[in-house]
Amino acid sequence: MSKARTLTEIRSIARSHTRTAINVLVGIMRSKDATPAARVSAANSILDRGWGKVAQPLQGGDDPLKIIHRIERVIVHPGDSSEKGAGS
């Protein structure tokens, strides 16, 4: 069995339990016996699945939209046959 097929089957099995999982989360969220942390965690999980996660700002630097590119110079010996196959 291929790894891709296994992952597909696992996703399928997990998705078949979606309704039950959501009901469990709702039960925890509404439970007066659950800790506040558990209730908040369940509520956040429900919101994330229904509405998507909130975009998180990028960390580091003054401008979060600034993208850093890396340019690398590679020096190859002219007689190196490993580079000749790409263009031939």
Side-chain angles (χ1 to χ4, degrees), residues 10-82:
I10 290 170
R11 284 188 187 116
S12 178
I13 292 166
R15 288 176 180 170
S16 72
H17 295 286
T18 298
R19 185 176 305 274
T20 303
I22 292 293
N23 287 335
V24 168
L25 289 171
V26 170
I28 293 168
M29 182 183 71
R30 291 182 173 171
S31 173
K32 301 293 182 196
D33 296 330
T35 65
R39 294 177 69 194
V40 168
S41 179
N44 280 330
S45 293
I46 293 166
L47 291 173
D48 287 348
R49 270 104 186 134
W51 298 99
K53 292 190 178 195
V54 177
Q56 299 294 315
L58 298 175
Q59 298 295 320
D62 297 330
D63 184 5
L65 300 178
K66 185 177 180 181
I67 298 174
I68 300 172
H69 293 276
R70 178 177 176 206
I71 300 173
E72 185 174 311
R73 179 181 292 182
V74 178
I75 300 172
V76 179
H77 188 275
D80 188 357
S81 62
S82 65

